[in-house]
Amino acid sequence: MPSNRPSAAVVAIAAAVDALLVVAFAVAGRSSHAEGLDLSGVWRTAWPFLAGGAVGWVAALGWRRPFAAWPTGVAAWLGAVVIGMVLRTATGQGTAMPFIVVATLSLAVLIVGWRAALALVTRRRALRLVR
């Protein structure tokens, strides 16, 4: 009997896309504030959001539906933002209100957005096949 569970490769791809987008967010933020784009600086900015996103993945059992905007994408996004901000505060990094707003919106577009776009494309392709 075939399993409906995604392969480990599919799960790894979804997790890697999330991680790459969080790193891109960190690079964009550092760049817009004229901060260095060296590996250690990017890592310092990105790791709290990466850790939070990973917690969100686990909470949503993301490996079951890695491409789903709900619950995986939303949980990864909320984890990245909420836990990311807590970790930034705990490590003495900035959490000014404008940054929280920008991070919340940016990470929503990135983490949930790519899944929503994928669902839209998949749905449109399926409709074309039916016609």
Side-chain angles (χ1 to χ4, degrees), residues 109-122:
V109 168
L110 293 171
I111 296 172
V112 179
W114 77 263
R115 289 175 169 87
L118 180 64
L120 181 64
V121 168
T122 303

Side-chain angles (χ1 to χ4, degrees), residues 22-24 26-27 30 36-48:
V22 169
V23 170
V27 166
R30 291 183 66 79
L37 295 180
D38 58 289
L39 187 58
S40 66
V42 171
W43 173 251
R44 191 172 140 259
T45 301
W47 81 263

Side-chain angles (χ1 to χ4, degrees), residues 7 22 51-52 68-69 90 93 109-110 121 124 127-128:
S7 68
V22 169
Q93 296 185 57
V109 168
L110 293 171
V121 168
R124 284 188 175 182
L127 287 174
R128 278 190 225 149

Side-chain angles (χ1 to χ4, degrees), residues 9-117:
V10 167
V11 172
I13 288 168
V17 169
D18 281 348
L20 287 172
L21 291 171
V22 169
V23 170
F25 163 74
V27 166
R30 291 183 66 79
S31 178
S32 72
H33 294 288
E35 293 177 343
L37 295 180
D38 58 289
L39 187 58
S40 66
V42 171
W43 173 251
R44 191 172 140 259
T45 301
W47 81 263
F49 300 108
L50 291 168
V55 170
W57 256 79
V58 170
L61 306 176
W63 55 89
R64 291 185 178 174
R65 297 182 58 210
F67 294 148
W70 174 261
T72 307
V74 171
W77 161 56
L78 290 175
V81 171
V82 174
I83 294 169
M85 291 302 169
V86 168
L87 291 171
R88 283 180 63 86
T89 299
T91 58
Q93 296 185 57
T95 54
M97 186 53 69
F99 175 70
I100 293 171
V101 171
V102 168
T104 299
L105 296 175
S106 298
L107 291 170
V109 168
L110 293 171
I111 296 172
V112 179
W114 77 263
R115 289 175 169 87

